[in-house]
Amino acid sequence: MTDNDNTEKKSLLPHFAIAGLVIVLLVALFLWPKDDAPLPEPSEPEQEQIPQPEPVPEPEPMPEPEPMPEPEPVPEPEPVPEPEPLDISDAAIKTAIVETGTYEAIARLIVDEELLRRFVVFSANLADQKLAANHQVLQPPAQEFRVYRQAGKEWIDAASYKRYTPYVEAMESMETEQMIAIYEDYKPAIRDIFAEISAGSEDFDNVLTEAIDHLLDTPEVPMPVEVTTESVMYKYKDERLEALSAPQKQLLRTGPENMRVIKAKLREIRDVLANR
């Protein structure tokens, strides 16, 4: 029996009692003799049996509620391991760079001291159209700059351009996507270094793009290229070439063919940076 059945039965008990009493009174009226009928001989009155109401059953006790099952313990989440700090040592950076291309060639050409800082300082100066002579990222070529004389004039010797061929070949062997991935990995450290050396809030991505664009603006000139000597320094005879920035004049000294390869690689890097 449910709680609703017990409640409903309890609420009907008074109505059952009243209905029983009404039935008893009706029976007494219909069976009682009429007034004009002869009176019967008196006899011992029979004890009228008044039906006793049926006992109302006691409501069944409510079953004891089943105990709620104990909730299963929630396992503690495993702690997330802290990422290891990025190794910004010269050895780690150099290893990452040489893995993008021909190992021996690149390893021989890259400097071994403060490599990341040199890169940031050199790029920032390059964006300002300057050369940071004390922050070169690559070792200087072992061969000297050479010229030759002809018809009373001095010209750049083609052998001078070949000094830069190992650099260009090493650069050409490097995978652009891997180079950009290394740059992205070290970007937090690069930004910290750039914040130390710069007064503004310019993003280093823009600085690097400006540096690349400046080199790409270097004009291509036919060979041979005439130079003049003042003291111990050579200058371009063509005033338009001599008016170029120091980085652009340095790029010209790599020679027409080397410069075309360098520019092609720089365009690749710039395009990948722009699309990230």
Side-chain angles (χ1 to χ4, degrees), residues 117-133 135-137 171 194 197 202 204 206-218 244-252 262 266:
R117 178 172 291 273
R118 284 172 176 267
F119 166 71
V120 175
V121 175
F122 188 83
S123 299
N125 278 267
L126 185 55
D128 290 335
Q129 305 182 14
K130 301 175 183 177
L131 275 180
H135 290 83
Q136 297 282 356
V137 179
M171 180 180 183
F194 184 61
I197 67 172
E202 187 176 8
F204 189 77
N206 298 333
V207 172
L208 190 57
T209 302
E210 290 173 8
I212 293 174
D213 286 340
H214 182 61
L215 290 178
L216 291 176
D217 288 338
T218 304
L244 296 175
S245 69
Q248 290 175 331
K249 287 190 286 189
Q250 180 63 45
L251 184 57
L252 276 178
I262 294 171
L266 290 175

mmCIF file of all heavy atoms in Angstrom, residues 117-133 135-137 171 194 197 202 204 206-218 244-252 262 266:
data_model
loop_
_atom_site.group_PDB
_atom_site.id
_atom_site.type_symbol
_atom_site.label_atom_id
_atom_site.label_comp_id
_atom_site.label_asym_id
_atom_site.label_seq_id
_atom_site.Cartn_x
_atom_site.Cartn_y
_atom_site.Cartn_z
ATOM 1 N N ARG A 117 71.207 37.575 -28.648
ATOM 2 C CA ARG A 117 71.299 39.035 -28.506
ATOM 3 C C ARG A 117 71.880 39.662 -29.773
ATOM 4 O O ARG A 117 71.433 40.736 -30.202
ATOM 5 C CB ARG A 117 72.137 39.392 -27.284
ATOM 6 C CG ARG A 117 72.332 40.894 -27.069
ATOM 7 C CD ARG A 117 73.006 41.167 -25.755
ATOM 8 N NE ARG A 117 72.126 40.850 -24.642
ATOM 9 C CZ ARG A 117 71.240 41.712 -24.138
ATOM 10 N NH1 ARG A 117 71.130 42.946 -24.660
ATOM 11 N NH2 ARG A 117 70.475 41.368 -23.131
ATOM 12 N N ARG A 118 72.862 39.023 -30.361
ATOM 13 C CA ARG A 118 73.436 39.546 -31.595
ATOM 14 C C ARG A 118 72.369 39.637 -32.699
ATOM 15 O O ARG A 118 72.314 40.623 -33.437
ATOM 16 C CB ARG A 118 74.595 38.654 -32.064
ATOM 17 C CG ARG A 118 75.877 38.822 -31.273
ATOM 18 C CD ARG A 118 76.899 37.766 -31.679
ATOM 19 N NE ARG A 118 78.178 37.970 -30.992
ATOM 20 C CZ ARG A 118 79.191 38.663 -31.480
ATOM 21 N NH1 ARG A 118 79.091 39.242 -32.672
ATOM 22 N NH2 ARG A 118 80.310 38.805 -30.797
ATOM 23 N N PHE A 119 71.556 38.597 -32.778
ATOM 24 C CA PHE A 119 70.513 38.590 -33.798
ATOM 25 C C PHE A 119 69.537 39.749 -33.603
ATOM 26 O O PHE A 119 69.156 40.437 -34.556
ATOM 27 C CB PHE A 119 69.752 37.257 -33.754
ATOM 28 C CG PHE A 119 68.458 37.257 -34.510
ATOM 29 C CD1 PHE A 119 68.442 37.278 -35.906
ATOM 30 C CD2 PHE A 119 67.230 37.252 -33.838
ATOM 31 C CE1 PHE A 119 67.243 37.286 -36.607
ATOM 32 C CE2 PHE A 119 66.047 37.252 -34.526
ATOM 33 C CZ PHE A 119 66.041 37.277 -35.916
ATOM 34 N N VAL A 120 69.124 39.992 -32.359
ATOM 35 C CA VAL A 120 68.159 41.059 -32.079
ATOM 36 C C VAL A 120 68.781 42.422 -32.372
ATOM 37 O O VAL A 120 68.160 43.274 -33.043
ATOM 38 C CB VAL A 120 67.684 40.976 -30.612
ATOM 39 C CG1 VAL A 120 66.764 42.154 -30.282
ATOM 40 C CG2 VAL A 120 66.952 39.663 -30.362
ATOM 41 N N VAL A 121 69.993 42.656 -31.873
ATOM 42 C CA VAL A 121 70.653 43.953 -32.075
ATOM 43 C C VAL A 121 70.935 44.188 -33.561
ATOM 44 O O VAL A 121 70.695 45.285 -34.088
ATOM 45 C CB VAL A 121 71.954 44.035 -31.251
ATOM 46 C CG1 VAL A 121 72.703 45.331 -31.551
ATOM 47 C CG2 VAL A 121 71.643 43.939 -29.754
ATOM 48 N N PHE A 122 71.427 43.167 -34.244
ATOM 49 C CA PHE A 122 71.750 43.313 -35.664
ATOM 50 C C PHE A 122 70.488 43.608 -36.469
ATOM 51 O O PHE A 122 70.492 44.482 -37.353
ATOM 52 C CB PHE A 122 72.421 42.032 -36.172
ATOM 53 C CG PHE A 122 72.965 42.153 -37.566
ATOM 54 C CD1 PHE A 122 74.216 42.708 -37.781
ATOM 55 C CD2 PHE A 122 72.229 41.730 -38.664
ATOM 56 C CE1 PHE A 122 74.731 42.834 -39.071
ATOM 57 C CE2 PHE A 122 72.725 41.849 -39.951
ATOM 58 C CZ PHE A 122 73.980 42.404 -40.157
ATOM 59 N N SER A 123 69.382 42.896 -36.173
ATOM 60 C CA SER A 123 68.129 43.116 -36.906
ATOM 61 C C SER A 123 67.565 44.506 -36.640
ATOM 62 O O SER A 123 67.072 45.170 -37.562
ATOM 63 C CB SER A 123 67.101 42.049 -36.510
ATOM 64 O OG SER A 123 67.564 40.758 -36.822
ATOM 65 N N ALA A 124 67.631 44.955 -35.381
ATOM 66 C CA ALA A 124 67.115 46.280 -35.052
ATOM 67 C C ALA A 124 67.905 47.367 -35.767
ATOM 68 O O ALA A 124 67.338 48.337 -36.280
ATOM 69 C CB ALA A 124 67.157 46.490 -33.539
ATOM 70 N N ASN A 125 69.221 47.230 -35.826
ATOM 71 C CA ASN A 125 70.052 48.197 -36.554
ATOM 72 C C ASN A 125 69.784 48.137 -38.048
ATOM 73 O O ASN A 125 69.746 49.166 -38.732
ATOM 74 C CB ASN A 125 71.540 47.946 -36.273
ATOM 75 C CG ASN A 125 72.006 48.562 -34.976
ATOM 76 O OD1 ASN A 125 72.495 49.689 -34.940
ATOM 77 N ND2 ASN A 125 71.839 47.828 -33.886
ATOM 78 N N LEU A 126 69.592 46.942 -38.560
ATOM 79 C CA LEU A 126 69.326 46.779 -39.986
ATOM 80 C C LEU A 126 68.014 47.456 -40.376
ATOM 81 O O LEU A 126 67.907 48.089 -41.431
ATOM 82 C CB LEU A 126 69.293 45.297 -40.331
ATOM 83 C CG LEU A 126 69.135 44.918 -41.805
ATOM 84 C CD1 LEU A 126 70.223 45.571 -42.648
ATOM 85 C CD2 LEU A 126 69.170 43.403 -41.962
ATOM 86 N N ALA A 127 66.997 47.356 -39.498
ATOM 87 C CA ALA A 127 65.729 48.041 -39.762
ATOM 88 C C ALA A 127 65.911 49.554 -39.781
ATOM 89 O O ALA A 127 65.179 50.269 -40.476
ATOM 90 C CB ALA A 127 64.692 47.649 -38.712
ATOM 91 N N ASP A 128 66.913 50.038 -39.026
ATOM 92 C CA ASP A 128 67.244 51.476 -39.033
ATOM 93 C C ASP A 128 68.260 51.827 -40.113
ATOM 94 O O ASP A 128 68.840 52.922 -40.094
ATOM 95 C CB ASP A 128 67.798 51.895 -37.654
ATOM 96 C CG ASP A 128 66.726 51.875 -36.584
ATOM 97 O OD1 ASP A 128 65.536 52.022 -36.933
ATOM 98 O OD2 ASP A 128 67.076 51.704 -35.393
ATOM 99 N N GLN A 129 68.507 50.865 -41.031
ATOM 100 C CA GLN A 129 69.414 51.054 -42.165
ATOM 101 C C GLN A 129 70.856 51.274 -41.708
ATOM 102 O O GLN A 129 71.602 52.075 -42.273
ATOM 103 C CB GLN A 129 68.932 52.208 -43.054
ATOM 104 C CG GLN A 129 67.497 52.034 -43.537
ATOM 105 C CD GLN A 129 67.028 53.146 -44.451
ATOM 106 O OE1 GLN A 129 67.829 53.929 -44.948
ATOM 107 N NE2 GLN A 129 65.727 53.222 -44.684
ATOM 108 N N LYS A 130 71.244 50.543 -40.665
ATOM 109 C CA LYS A 130 72.603 50.633 -40.137
ATOM 110 C C LYS A 130 73.183 49.234 -40.001
ATOM 111 O O LYS A 130 72.456 48.240 -39.957
ATOM 112 C CB LYS A 130 72.615 51.326 -38.763
ATOM 113 C CG LYS A 130 72.053 52.742 -38.765
ATOM 114 C CD LYS A 130 71.987 53.291 -37.346
ATOM 115 C CE LYS A 130 71.354 54.671 -37.311
ATOM 116 N NZ LYS A 130 71.217 55.180 -35.913
ATOM 117 N N LEU A 131 74.485 49.171 -39.920
ATOM 118 C CA LEU A 131 75.178 47.905 -39.660
ATOM 119 C C LEU A 131 75.729 47.922 -38.234
ATOM 120 O O LEU A 131 76.444 48.852 -37.863
ATOM 121 C CB LEU A 131 76.316 47.685 -40.651
ATOM 122 C CG LEU A 131 75.967 47.052 -42.000
ATOM 123 C CD1 LEU A 131 77.228 46.923 -42.850
ATOM 124 C CD2 LEU A 131 75.318 45.694 -41.819
ATOM 125 N N ALA A 132 75.396 46.895 -37.459
ATOM 126 C CA ALA A 132 75.969 46.762 -36.114
ATOM 127 C C ALA A 132 77.216 45.900 -36.228
ATOM 128 O O ALA A 132 77.169 44.665 -36.144
ATOM 129 C CB ALA A 132 74.939 46.132 -35.173
ATOM 130 N N ALA A 133 78.348 46.552 -36.434
ATOM 131 C CA ALA A 133 79.594 45.838 -36.741
ATOM 132 C C ALA A 133 80.020 44.902 -35.613
ATOM 133 O O ALA A 133 80.630 43.864 -35.859
ATOM 134 C CB ALA A 133 80.693 46.858 -37.027
ATOM 135 N N HIS A 135 78.039 43.264 -33.649
ATOM 136 C CA HIS A 135 76.991 42.278 -33.350
ATOM 137 C C HIS A 135 76.685 41.415 -34.572
ATOM 138 O O HIS A 135 75.540 41.049 -34.820
ATOM 139 C CB HIS A 135 75.722 42.980 -32.860
ATOM 140 C CG HIS A 135 75.848 43.595 -31.505
ATOM 141 N ND1 HIS A 135 76.400 44.839 -31.309
ATOM 142 C CD2 HIS A 135 75.518 43.130 -30.267
ATOM 143 C CE1 HIS A 135 76.389 45.132 -30.016
ATOM 144 N NE2 HIS A 135 75.863 44.114 -29.363
ATOM 145 N N GLN A 136 77.709 41.082 -35.333
ATOM 146 C CA GLN A 136 77.533 40.205 -36.480
ATOM 147 C C GLN A 136 77.099 38.816 -36.005
ATOM 148 O O GLN A 136 77.610 38.301 -34.999
ATOM 149 C CB GLN A 136 78.848 40.079 -37.269
ATOM 150 C CG GLN A 136 79.339 41.397 -37.871
ATOM 151 C CD GLN A 136 78.571 41.780 -39.127
ATOM 152 O OE1 GLN A 136 77.727 41.038 -39.597
ATOM 153 N NE2 GLN A 136 78.875 42.943 -39.663
ATOM 154 N N VAL A 137 76.165 38.215 -36.737
ATOM 155 C CA VAL A 137 75.697 36.870 -36.414
ATOM 156 C C VAL A 137 76.588 35.818 -37.080
ATOM 157 O O VAL A 137 76.701 34.696 -36.580
ATOM 158 C CB VAL A 137 74.225 36.692 -36.862
ATOM 159 C CG1 VAL A 137 73.719 35.295 -36.564
ATOM 160 C CG2 VAL A 137 73.335 37.724 -36.170
ATOM 161 N N MET A 171 72.749 29.282 -46.498
ATOM 162 C CA MET A 171 71.437 29.907 -46.330
ATOM 163 C C MET A 171 70.390 29.244 -47.223
ATOM 164 O O MET A 171 69.262 28.996 -46.797
ATOM 165 C CB MET A 171 71.529 31.401 -46.650
ATOM 166 C CG MET A 171 70.230 32.150 -46.515
ATOM 167 S SD MET A 171 70.425 33.909 -46.913
ATOM 168 C CE MET A 171 68.780 34.507 -46.572
ATOM 169 N N PHE A 194 64.755 42.624 -26.952
ATOM 170 C CA PHE A 194 64.403 43.823 -27.721
ATOM 171 C C PHE A 194 63.865 44.925 -26.812
ATOM 172 O O PHE A 194 64.127 46.116 -27.034
ATOM 173 C CB PHE A 194 63.383 43.460 -28.794
ATOM 174 C CG PHE A 194 63.022 44.605 -29.702
ATOM 175 C CD1 PHE A 194 63.982 45.227 -30.477
ATOM 176 C CD2 PHE A 194 61.714 45.067 -29.782
ATOM 177 C CE1 PHE A 194 63.656 46.295 -31.316
ATOM 178 C CE2 PHE A 194 61.375 46.121 -30.613
ATOM 179 C CZ PHE A 194 62.349 46.742 -31.383
ATOM 180 N N ILE A 197 66.761 46.912 -25.334
ATOM 181 C CA ILE A 197 67.591 47.781 -26.190
ATOM 182 C C ILE A 197 66.779 48.849 -26.917
ATOM 183 O O ILE A 197 67.360 49.745 -27.540
ATOM 184 C CB ILE A 197 68.355 46.947 -27.232
ATOM 185 C CG1 ILE A 197 67.385 46.303 -28.239
ATOM 186 C CG2 ILE A 197 69.213 45.886 -26.563
ATOM 187 C CD1 ILE A 197 68.067 45.629 -29.400
ATOM 188 N N GLU A 202 57.452 48.946 -30.187
ATOM 189 C CA GLU A 202 57.245 48.297 -31.477
ATOM 190 C C GLU A 202 57.460 46.797 -31.356
ATOM 191 O O GLU A 202 58.344 46.334 -30.637
ATOM 192 C CB GLU A 202 58.197 48.881 -32.527
ATOM 193 C CG GLU A 202 57.927 48.368 -33.939
ATOM 194 C CD GLU A 202 58.839 49.041 -34.964
ATOM 195 O OE1 GLU A 202 59.754 49.769 -34.540
ATOM 196 O OE2 GLU A 202 58.627 48.835 -36.164
ATOM 197 N N PHE A 204 58.702 43.170 -32.427
ATOM 198 C CA PHE A 204 59.905 42.763 -33.133
ATOM 199 C C PHE A 204 59.591 42.148 -34.488
ATOM 200 O O PHE A 204 60.439 42.186 -35.403
ATOM 201 C CB PHE A 204 60.715 41.781 -32.288
ATOM 202 C CG PHE A 204 62.071 41.485 -32.869
ATOM 203 C CD1 PHE A 204 63.114 42.391 -32.743
ATOM 204 C CD2 PHE A 204 62.299 40.301 -33.567
ATOM 205 C CE1 PHE A 204 64.364 42.125 -33.287
ATOM 206 C CE2 PHE A 204 63.547 40.025 -34.110
ATOM 207 C CZ PHE A 204 64.575 40.939 -33.974
ATOM 208 N N ASN A 206 57.604 43.320 -36.659
ATOM 209 C CA ASN A 206 57.643 44.452 -37.597
ATOM 210 C C ASN A 206 59.087 44.887 -37.874
ATOM 211 O O ASN A 206 59.423 45.246 -39.008
ATOM 212 C CB ASN A 206 56.843 45.631 -37.039
ATOM 213 C CG ASN A 206 55.369 45.292 -36.859
ATOM 214 O OD1 ASN A 206 54.835 44.435 -37.564
ATOM 215 N ND2 ASN A 206 54.709 45.949 -35.929
ATOM 216 N N VAL A 207 59.907 44.857 -36.829
ATOM 217 C CA VAL A 207 61.317 45.230 -37.004
ATOM 218 C C VAL A 207 61.997 44.282 -37.983
ATOM 219 O O VAL A 207 62.721 44.704 -38.901
ATOM 220 C CB VAL A 207 62.044 45.214 -35.643
ATOM 221 C CG1 VAL A 207 63.549 45.415 -35.831
ATOM 222 C CG2 VAL A 207 61.483 46.302 -34.731
ATOM 223 N N LEU A 208 61.757 42.995 -37.812
ATOM 224 C CA LEU A 208 62.383 42.011 -38.692
ATOM 225 C C LEU A 208 61.893 42.175 -40.126
ATOM 226 O O LEU A 208 62.683 42.074 -41.077
ATOM 227 C CB LEU A 208 62.074 40.599 -38.180
ATOM 228 C CG LEU A 208 62.826 39.445 -38.835
ATOM 229 C CD1 LEU A 208 64.321 39.640 -38.708
ATOM 230 C CD2 LEU A 208 62.404 38.114 -38.233
ATOM 231 N N THR A 209 60.601 42.435 -40.290
ATOM 232 C CA THR A 209 60.050 42.640 -41.637
ATOM 233 C C THR A 209 60.650 43.890 -42.275
ATOM 234 O O THR A 209 60.968 43.894 -43.477
ATOM 235 C CB THR A 209 58.524 42.753 -41.577
ATOM 236 O OG1 THR A 209 57.987 41.557 -40.979
ATOM 237 C CG2 THR A 209 57.924 42.921 -42.967
ATOM 238 N N GLU A 210 60.813 44.957 -41.495
ATOM 239 C CA GLU A 210 61.418 46.185 -42.023
ATOM 240 C C GLU A 210 62.863 45.942 -42.455
ATOM 241 O O GLU A 210 63.314 46.460 -43.492
ATOM 242 C CB GLU A 210 61.365 47.290 -40.964
ATOM 243 C CG GLU A 210 59.967 47.827 -40.693
ATOM 244 C CD GLU A 210 59.946 48.797 -39.525
ATOM 245 O OE1 GLU A 210 61.046 49.149 -39.039
ATOM 246 O OE2 GLU A 210 58.851 49.188 -39.092
ATOM 247 N N ALA A 211 63.576 45.150 -41.679
ATOM 248 C CA ALA A 211 64.970 44.854 -42.027
ATOM 249 C C ALA A 211 65.045 44.079 -43.344
ATOM 250 O O ALA A 211 65.884 44.378 -44.208
ATOM 251 C CB ALA A 211 65.619 44.043 -40.904
ATOM 252 N N ILE A 212 64.157 43.101 -43.501
ATOM 253 C CA ILE A 212 64.137 42.318 -44.738
ATOM 254 C C ILE A 212 63.759 43.195 -45.923
ATOM 255 O O ILE A 212 64.383 43.136 -46.993
ATOM 256 C CB ILE A 212 63.160 41.127 -44.589
ATOM 257 C CG1 ILE A 212 63.703 40.132 -43.557
ATOM 258 C CG2 ILE A 212 62.933 40.443 -45.929
ATOM 259 C CD1 ILE A 212 62.752 38.991 -43.231
ATOM 260 N N ASP A 213 62.735 44.025 -45.747
ATOM 261 C CA ASP A 213 62.301 44.896 -46.849
ATOM 262 C C ASP A 213 63.410 45.848 -47.279
ATOM 263 O O ASP A 213 63.560 46.150 -48.471
ATOM 264 C CB ASP A 213 61.063 45.688 -46.429
ATOM 265 C CG ASP A 213 59.802 44.832 -46.389
ATOM 266 O OD1 ASP A 213 59.802 43.769 -47.038
ATOM 267 O OD2 ASP A 213 58.828 45.227 -45.720
ATOM 268 N N HIS A 214 64.176 46.324 -46.311
ATOM 269 C CA HIS A 214 65.253 47.246 -46.652
ATOM 270 C C HIS A 214 66.311 46.572 -47.534
ATOM 271 O O HIS A 214 66.800 47.162 -48.501
ATOM 272 C CB HIS A 214 65.900 47.803 -45.385
ATOM 273 C CG HIS A 214 66.989 48.786 -45.644
ATOM 274 N ND1 HIS A 214 66.786 49.972 -46.319
ATOM 275 C CD2 HIS A 214 68.329 48.756 -45.335
ATOM 276 C CE1 HIS A 214 67.920 50.637 -46.414
ATOM 277 N NE2 HIS A 214 68.875 49.919 -45.834
ATOM 278 N N LEU A 215 66.636 45.327 -47.208
ATOM 279 C CA LEU A 215 67.604 44.608 -48.033
ATOM 280 C C LEU A 215 67.035 44.306 -49.419
ATOM 281 O O LEU A 215 67.753 44.350 -50.427
ATOM 282 C CB LEU A 215 68.022 43.308 -47.341
ATOM 283 C CG LEU A 215 68.897 43.450 -46.086
ATOM 284 C CD1 LEU A 215 69.191 42.083 -45.479
ATOM 285 C CD2 LEU A 215 70.203 44.177 -46.411
ATOM 286 N N LEU A 216 65.742 44.006 -49.464
ATOM 287 C CA LEU A 216 65.121 43.706 -50.761
ATOM 288 C C LEU A 216 65.080 44.934 -51.672
ATOM 289 O O LEU A 216 64.964 44.791 -52.893
ATOM 290 C CB LEU A 216 63.695 43.158 -50.555
ATOM 291 C CG LEU A 216 63.596 41.767 -49.926
ATOM 292 C CD1 LEU A 216 62.140 41.389 -49.682
ATOM 293 C CD2 LEU A 216 64.280 40.720 -50.799
ATOM 294 N N ASP A 217 65.181 46.112 -51.086
ATOM 295 C CA ASP A 217 65.197 47.349 -51.892
ATOM 296 C C ASP A 217 66.568 47.637 -52.513
ATOM 297 O O ASP A 217 66.718 48.625 -53.244
ATOM 298 C CB ASP A 217 64.774 48.545 -51.026
ATOM 299 C CG ASP A 217 63.276 48.523 -50.698
ATOM 300 O OD1 ASP A 217 62.528 47.868 -51.452
ATOM 301 O OD2 ASP A 217 62.878 49.150 -49.703
ATOM 302 N N THR A 218 67.532 46.811 -52.210
ATOM 303 C CA THR A 218 68.866 47.034 -52.784
ATOM 304 C C THR A 218 68.814 46.842 -54.306
ATOM 305 O O THR A 218 68.334 45.809 -54.779
ATOM 306 C CB THR A 218 69.876 46.043 -52.181
ATOM 307 O OG1 THR A 218 69.849 46.170 -50.751
ATOM 308 C CG2 THR A 218 71.279 46.335 -52.688
ATOM 309 N N LEU A 244 73.684 54.518 -51.043
ATOM 310 C CA LEU A 244 72.890 53.463 -50.395
ATOM 311 C C LEU A 244 73.316 53.313 -48.939
ATOM 312 O O LEU A 244 74.389 53.761 -48.522
ATOM 313 C CB LEU A 244 73.076 52.132 -51.134
ATOM 314 C CG LEU A 244 72.579 52.068 -52.581
ATOM 315 C CD1 LEU A 244 72.964 50.719 -53.193
ATOM 316 C CD2 LEU A 244 71.075 52.287 -52.658
ATOM 317 N N SER A 245 72.463 52.686 -48.165
ATOM 318 C CA SER A 245 72.786 52.462 -46.745
ATOM 319 C C SER A 245 73.928 51.442 -46.636
ATOM 320 O O SER A 245 74.219 50.683 -47.578
ATOM 321 C CB SER A 245 71.558 51.948 -45.995
ATOM 322 O OG SER A 245 71.233 50.634 -46.425
ATOM 323 N N ALA A 246 74.535 51.382 -45.456
ATOM 324 C CA ALA A 246 75.630 50.436 -45.227
ATOM 325 C C ALA A 246 75.189 48.985 -45.433
ATOM 326 O O ALA A 246 75.915 48.201 -46.055
ATOM 327 C CB ALA A 246 76.204 50.646 -43.828
ATOM 328 N N PRO A 247 73.984 48.570 -44.946
ATOM 329 C CA PRO A 247 73.562 47.183 -45.207
ATOM 330 C C PRO A 247 73.368 46.893 -46.689
ATOM 331 O O PRO A 247 73.722 45.797 -47.157
ATOM 332 C CB PRO A 247 72.235 47.077 -44.435
ATOM 333 C CG PRO A 247 72.307 48.121 -43.386
ATOM 334 C CD PRO A 247 73.062 49.246 -44.007
ATOM 335 N N GLN A 248 72.805 47.841 -47.432
ATOM 336 C CA GLN A 248 72.604 47.614 -48.851
ATOM 337 C C GLN A 248 73.930 47.531 -49.606
ATOM 338 O O GLN A 248 74.088 46.697 -50.512
ATOM 339 C CB GLN A 248 71.713 48.721 -49.426
ATOM 340 C CG GLN A 248 70.268 48.649 -48.945
ATOM 341 C CD GLN A 248 69.432 49.814 -49.437
ATOM 342 O OE1 GLN A 248 69.954 50.914 -49.656
ATOM 343 N NE2 GLN A 248 68.130 49.585 -49.622
ATOM 344 N N LYS A 249 74.881 48.374 -49.260
ATOM 345 C CA LYS A 249 76.198 48.302 -49.910
ATOM 346 C C LYS A 249 76.900 46.984 -49.583
ATOM 347 O O LYS A 249 77.599 46.419 -50.434
ATOM 348 C CB LYS A 249 77.059 49.498 -49.486
ATOM 349 C CG LYS A 249 76.623 50.812 -50.130
ATOM 350 C CD LYS A 249 77.611 51.943 -49.898
ATOM 351 C CE LYS A 249 77.554 52.458 -48.478
ATOM 352 N NZ LYS A 249 78.369 53.707 -48.315
ATOM 353 N N GLN A 250 76.689 46.498 -48.363
ATOM 354 C CA GLN A 250 77.278 45.207 -48.003
ATOM 355 C C GLN A 250 76.656 44.090 -48.834
ATOM 356 O O GLN A 250 77.355 43.173 -49.287
ATOM 357 C CB GLN A 250 77.069 44.938 -46.508
ATOM 358 C CG GLN A 250 77.642 43.618 -46.019
ATOM 359 C CD GLN A 250 79.138 43.567 -46.174
ATOM 360 O OE1 GLN A 250 79.853 44.514 -45.847
ATOM 361 N NE2 GLN A 250 79.653 42.454 -46.689
ATOM 362 N N LEU A 251 75.344 44.165 -49.049
ATOM 363 C CA LEU A 251 74.682 43.154 -49.873
ATOM 364 C C LEU A 251 75.178 43.194 -51.312
ATOM 365 O O LEU A 251 75.356 42.149 -51.956
ATOM 366 C CB LEU A 251 73.160 43.361 -49.826
ATOM 367 C CG LEU A 251 72.304 42.319 -50.563
ATOM 368 C CD1 LEU A 251 72.592 40.910 -50.047
ATOM 369 C CD2 LEU A 251 70.825 42.651 -50.428
ATOM 370 N N LEU A 252 75.436 44.408 -51.820
ATOM 371 C CA LEU A 252 75.983 44.534 -53.175
ATOM 372 C C LEU A 252 77.334 43.823 -53.295
ATOM 373 O O LEU A 252 77.667 43.276 -54.350
ATOM 374 C CB LEU A 252 76.163 46.011 -53.542
ATOM 375 C CG LEU A 252 74.938 46.759 -54.085
ATOM 376 C CD1 LEU A 252 75.307 48.213 -54.345
ATOM 377 C CD2 LEU A 252 74.442 46.096 -55.372
ATOM 378 N N ILE A 262 70.049 35.372 -52.218
ATOM 379 C CA ILE A 262 69.729 35.910 -50.887
ATOM 380 C C ILE A 262 68.349 36.565 -50.879
ATOM 381 O O ILE A 262 67.538 36.353 -49.969
ATOM 382 C CB ILE A 262 70.815 36.912 -50.443
ATOM 383 C CG1 ILE A 262 72.139 36.191 -50.233
ATOM 384 C CG2 ILE A 262 70.398 37.646 -49.170
ATOM 385 C CD1 ILE A 262 73.318 37.119 -50.000
ATOM 386 N N LEU A 266 65.043 35.689 -48.645
ATOM 387 C CA LEU A 266 64.433 36.710 -47.789
ATOM 388 C C LEU A 266 62.952 36.880 -48.107
ATOM 389 O O LEU A 266 62.136 37.093 -47.199
ATOM 390 C CB LEU A 266 65.166 38.041 -47.953
ATOM 391 C CG LEU A 266 66.591 38.119 -47.390
ATOM 392 C CD1 LEU A 266 67.231 39.461 -47.736
ATOM 393 C CD2 LEU A 266 66.591 37.891 -45.885
#
